[in-house]
Amino acid sequence: MAGKGVITPQKDRSDLIVRLQEAQQRYGYVPEEVIRALADSLNIPVHEVYGVASFYSFLSTRPLGRNVIRVCKSLPCYLKSAEMIMEAVQKELGIGLGETTPDGRFTFQLTNCIGLCDHAPAMLINQDTHVDLTPEKIKQILKSYQ
Amino acid sequence: MPQKRVVLKNCEVIDPKRIDSHLESGGFKALSKARGEMTPEQITNEVKASGLRGRGGAGFPCGIKWDGARTAPGANKYVICNADEGEVGTFKDRYILEKDPFTLIEGILIAGQAIGAKQGYIYLRAEYHYLLDHLQSAIDQAKQKGFLNGFSLEIREGVGAYICGEESALMDSIEGKRGEARYRPPFPTTSGLWGQPTIINNVETLMNIPPIILNGADWFSQMGTERSKGTKVFSVSGDVARPGVYEIVLGSPLRELVEELAMAKDVKMVQIGGATGRILPYDKLDTPLAFEAVLGAGAVTVYNESRDVIDIVHRTMEFLAEESCGKCTPCRQGTEVMAEVLDKFHKGEGSLKELQNLEALSSAMMLSSLCGLGQAAPNAVMDSLQYFRNDYESRVAK
């Protein structure tokens, strides 16, 4: 874990979320060391930094896989059989909801509306969008993420 | 009434990657007019006279909001563009950001001119990260052309929280905090971002500003109904043949959007305004789309005859329970309890007593929740109880 506390020192409180996003991007989650270091450098309590880090769904305080799959579960996607997409992902990867593959390649999550309802069902992998999904497309899409 | 393109005028017309393409079609003329020929007071008066109301769902008169911030004392004022489009079934702002980022930037700059702000933020939802570079490039191009003129416009990325579409939670998020709703008053126009006078407008609201400044308030207020002027951009999805983004004049009937434009068949009901929106059954399809009737942020989700009302309402409430920020008890607890009760009905294990509880709880939440999420959370429950009560009563455990 050496070096994980090294996030640009920043005195400005408003930059807390930006720093947390940087950590999420760099390590795939927000490690405890980063939370402590940020609390220290911004001079705010550790619990407050943790409170922010744990509030937002795109920040994680636990390690995630290298690629995070977020299948949309909101109504417009549900109407277009999103549940079949969820099943296809789980079958392909052999993991359940919220789990990470043993090789650390994928984490499978669900998400609320991602604003792609005109191309439902849809999902995000990391920051990429995948739309008009069918169970058949899943295998090919997952292949492109290492 | 056919589609009318005011907000979407440039979409699919200009090249959204090149500011020159936008300039060739008259871009930034409104900004020149606002800066060269109008005082800040004249700008806000024009917006007031247009009757433009906020397009993010709440429908607050835009000019009054601007005037509040313009006249409020404060050395540093802020303009925030709310691009945290998170309402279930809404994707119109995504379309606008993709197809015409320049008019949005122009609208933000005019807003800054009107209230005397030197700093603006676009709060872009995390789920739209793929639009970040595109939007930043549009800002950079506008800057290179000299349109920013000392105004600093910065994109702040959201981190995945529906509640941050609520204006006070959004400001807390920009300040680096948990996105929780604030107690009001004070209102953002006097005490917003970092306690300074702030206006916060939806993407679509700001898109309306350049055409209003250019063509005048009279031109704008000829469109629409008495209390709903202009057009509205709708996001239509669900059981329709043609899902997509449609712009029509306010006051047009829901039927036109759902059946004529999106080509829906066998409609059972429509949810207007997403998770916090209203539900109307098929026989109310002639309801006008206007602030006087139903509108919200323009999410229109269509359900056909095969759909189960209780399932839809239950899923709506599960969403709200997950997304409640948890700061106030009526919303945090109310949405959880409602989701549990609806789950029972979904499984055919409801009771008449619980139906009454749902109604009592709805009133309490509407009255006492801190922000729009909790206040509007019972809408789908109340509407479905009004129009589909039999569906509930038939799920009472025998």
Side-chain angles (χ1 to χ4, degrees):
Chain A
M1 287 302 209
K4 282 197 175 172
V6 188
I7 292 280
T8 328
Q10 180 51 256
K11 295 285 174 209
D12 187 349
R13 173 72 167 84
S14 83
D15 272 0
L16 174 57
I17 288 179
V18 179
R19 302 290 160 222
L20 290 170
Q21 283 166 323
E22 281 176 7
Q24 179 71 43
Q25 185 71 24
R26 192 180 305 176
Y27 308 120
Y29 75 115
V30 183
E32 189 182 324
E33 292 90 329
V34 170
I35 291 180
R36 291 187 182 281
L38 280 170
D40 216 34
S41 72
L42 297 172
N43 200 24
I44 48 181
V46 170
H47 70 256
E48 207 177 310
V49 179
Y50 179 78
V52 173
S54 59
F55 182 83
Y56 295 97
S57 67
F58 275 56
L59 297 175
S60 175
T61 51
R62 291 183 302 112
L64 299 177
R66 291 195 297 282
N67 303 292
V68 180
I69 302 169
R70 293 184 172 95
V71 179
C72 178
K73 63 172 176 168
S74 287
L75 277 161
C77 282
Y78 170 69
L79 297 180
K80 301 291 173 192
S81 306
E83 284 176 345
M84 287 170 66
I85 306 305
M86 298 167 196
E87 278 166 25
V89 171
Q90 296 188 54
K91 204 176 139 201
E92 188 61 33
L93 300 178
I95 55 172
L97 178 58
E99 292 178 357
T100 299
T101 52
D103 60 0
R105 189 168 150 221
F106 286 109
T107 296
F108 170 53
Q109 298 183 342
L110 300 182
T111 184
N112 281 323
C113 190
I114 51 176
L116 295 165
C117 326
D118 49 344
H119 294 286
M123 67 177 178
L124 295 172
I125 299 184
N126 308 329
Q127 282 139 354
D128 310 330
T129 60
H130 297 278
V131 299
D132 299 311
L133 296 171
T134 59
E136 296 72 42
K137 285 187 186 173
I138 292 300
K139 191 174 191 152
Q140 205 58 37
I141 292 171
L142 295 185
K143 257 190 198 164
S144 58
Y145 291 89
Q146 287 310 312
Chain B
M1 229 176 283
Q3 294 192 68
K4 173 98 185 164
R5 290 173 93 86
V6 172
V7 171
L8 305 182
K9 184 170 68 76
N10 291 329
C11 297
E12 321 268 355
V13 175
I14 62 155
D15 176 356
K17 302 269 178 222
R18 285 195 313 119
I19 197 166
D20 286 337
S21 155
H22 180 65
L23 292 171
E24 283 156 20
S25 69
F28 289 96
K29 279 189 180 156
L31 180 66
S32 304
K33 183 176 173 183
R35 282 184 178 158
E37 302 167 27
M38 298 169 84
T39 64
E41 193 175 1
Q42 280 171 330
I43 299 172
T44 51
N45 281 342
E46 198 71 26
V47 175
K48 257 196 223 172
S50 74
L52 175 68
R53 295 171 64 172
R55 301 304 199 226
F60 191 82
C62 184
I64 294 177
K65 188 187 272 187
W66 284 22
D67 220 25
R70 181 181 70 80
T71 54
N76 300 303
K77 300 184 181 182
Y78 299 100
V79 177
I80 301 173
C81 168
N82 185 344
D84 193 55
E85 177 171 59
E87 188 55 77
V88 177
T90 319
F91 46 89
K92 58 162 182 97
D93 294 342
R94 181 204 83 207
Y95 180 82
I96 292 168
L97 294 166
E98 270 176 337
K99 304 293 181 188
D100 186 14
F102 301 114
T103 302
L104 176 65
I105 292 167
E106 188 176 3
I108 293 169
L109 294 173
I110 294 171
Q113 178 78 8
I115 69 161
K118 286 273 165 243
Q119 171 82 46
Y121 293 95
I122 299 175
Y123 189 90
L124 182 72
R125 71 181 306 212
E127 292 81 349
Y128 290 174
H129 179 84
Y130 55 94
L131 295 174
L132 182 70
D133 290 348
H134 169 64
L135 195 54
Q136 188 59 55
S137 159
I139 295 171
D140 293 344
Q141 290 180 58
K143 193 173 182 179
Q144 277 164 15
K145 293 278 181 192
F147 290 124
L148 262 59
N149 192 23
F151 186 90
S152 165
L153 181 54
E154 202 178 304
I155 303 171
R156 283 297 179 109
E157 267 201 282
V159 212
Y162 168 77
I163 185 63
C164 289
E166 196 280 329
E167 60 178 20
S168 67
L170 190 157
M171 290 185 293
D172 268 17
S173 184
I174 292 182
E175 291 180 14
K177 301 172 186 163
R178 292 164 68 92
E180 291 179 351
R182 295 179 181 175
Y183 293 96
R184 275 152 291 183
F187 292 97
T189 46
T190 54
S191 179
L193 195 58
W194 293 296
Q196 298 299 313
T198 303
I199 53 170
I200 174 161
N201 285 123
N202 179 261
V203 168
E204 186 187 346
T205 312
L206 291 162
M207 291 293 289
N208 275 290
I209 299 299
I212 287 173
I213 294 302
L214 213 52
N215 304 317
D218 289 343
W219 164 81
F220 187 81
S221 62
Q222 279 167 15
M223 297 178 283
T225 69
E226 194 190 338
R227 287 169 55 209
S228 306
K229 301 299 185 191
T231 63
K232 180 81 187 80
V233 184
F234 291 93
S235 317
V236 188
S237 68
D239 295 319
V240 298
R242 287 186 184 169
V245 172
Y246 298 97
E247 180 175 10
I248 54 177
V249 173
L250 279 164
S252 305
L254 177 61
R255 182 184 302 282
E256 183 186 314
L257 186 64
V258 169
E259 289 191 328
E260 289 170 37
L261 293 172
M263 312 260 290
K265 292 209 168 57
D266 303 321
V267 177
K268 181 178 199 170
M269 64 178 199
V270 183
Q271 196 168 20
I272 306 118
T276 51
R278 312 306 301 246
I279 285 177
L280 290 177
Y282 180 72
D283 64 16
K284 298 274 179 204
L285 225 52
D286 290 312
T287 303
L289 289 160
F291 291 108
E292 298 91 312
V294 291
L295 198 58
V300 172
T301 315
V302 181
Y303 303 95
N304 68 23
E305 285 291 349
S306 74
R307 306 297 178 184
D308 172 8
V309 175
I310 312 269
D311 184 27
I312 303 304
V313 176
H314 175 230
R315 285 174 179 274
T316 296
M317 194 55 65
E318 274 189 326
F319 168 87
L320 293 167
E322 273 177 30
E323 297 290 352
S324 170
C325 79
K327 183 167 176 176
C328 77
T329 312
C331 176
R332 184 184 64 241
Q333 297 298 105
T335 52
E336 288 286 349
V337 170
M338 281 191 159
E340 279 170 31
V341 172
L342 289 163
D343 187 40
K344 280 190 184 177
F345 277 93
H346 186 216
K347 291 175 179 156
E349 296 165 3
S351 72
L352 289 175
K353 176 73 185 153
E354 279 168 325
L355 264 193
Q356 290 164 359
N357 288 348
L358 273 183
E359 283 167 319
L361 188 52
S362 291
S363 314
M365 289 166 71
M366 286 173 173
L367 260 178
S368 59
S369 292
L370 186 52
C371 81
L373 196 164
Q375 289 160 14
N379 280 345
V381 176
M382 295 306 285
D383 288 342
S384 57
L385 277 170
Q386 183 179 349
Y387 299 119
F388 298 96
R389 200 173 184 94
N390 282 344
D391 291 59
Y392 285 88
E393 288 174 353
S394 66
R395 308 286 183 92
V396 170
K398 298 282 187 304

